[in-house]
Amino acid sequence: QVQLVESGGGLVQPGKSLTLSCVASGFDFSNSWMFWVRQSPEPGRGLQWLSSINPSGGTIAYFDPVKGRFTVSRDNGKNTLYLQMNNLKPEDTAVYFCAKAWPVVLGEDNLGQGTQVTVSL
């Protein structure tokens, strides 16, 4: 079955960087579009799309507020998706998920279990 396992989250100060990883299994990763999404702690906020990357990594898109700060990449040989996050801001605080489909809802198999990123002094 589809498994997506994120790691790399943590507590960082504003302006610092983190790199998230997502190891995929149970499907043809190298021929799949992949996505990073996040869920803000604000009540009532749903999943927010952050980035998409095509199977070859040659087509990438970003949510405007993270453009220029976040970089998505993938290693198809390792079935791994990455999200390099620079110049983190308090409003980036969220649970970050990798997904093999978008849109997606919490609890779906197309979504990992998430990793918490907290940006705070």
Side-chain angles (χ1 to χ4, degrees), residues 51-92:
S51 183
S52 304
I53 183 169
N54 76 330
S56 71
T59 300
I60 291 173
Y62 296 101
F63 180 45
D64 279 350
V66 307
K67 199 175 294 184
R69 299 189 298 122
F70 290 11
T71 303
V72 63
S73 62
R74 64 192 297 161
D75 185 336
N76 288 338
K78 295 182 179 179
N79 276 16
T80 302
L81 180 72
Y82 302 98
L83 186 67
Q84 171 72 39
M85 306 186 293
N86 298 327
N87 189 23
L88 283 161
K89 304 177 180 181
E91 53 264 41
D92 294 318

Side-chain angles (χ1 to χ4, degrees), residues 15-63:
K16 300 297 186 182
S17 300
L18 277 177
T19 299
L20 307 183
S21 300
C22 170
V23 178
S25 62
F27 65 100
D28 187 1
F29 178 83
S30 62
N31 286 302
S32 297
W33 280 79
M34 294 297 297
F35 308 85
W36 283 102
V37 303
R38 68 186 179 189
Q39 184 172 38
S40 162
E42 295 179 25
R45 293 288 296 272
L47 290 173
Q48 181 180 65
W49 170 82
L50 296 176
S51 183
S52 304
I53 183 169
N54 76 330
S56 71
T59 300
I60 291 173
Y62 296 101
F63 180 45

Side-chain angles (χ1 to χ4, degrees), residues 38-41 48 90-97 115-119:
R38 68 186 179 189
Q39 184 172 38
S40 162
Q48 181 180 65
E91 53 264 41
D92 294 318
T93 295
V95 180
Y96 285 70
F97 301 85
T115 186
Q116 175 71 47
V117 172
T118 302
V119 185

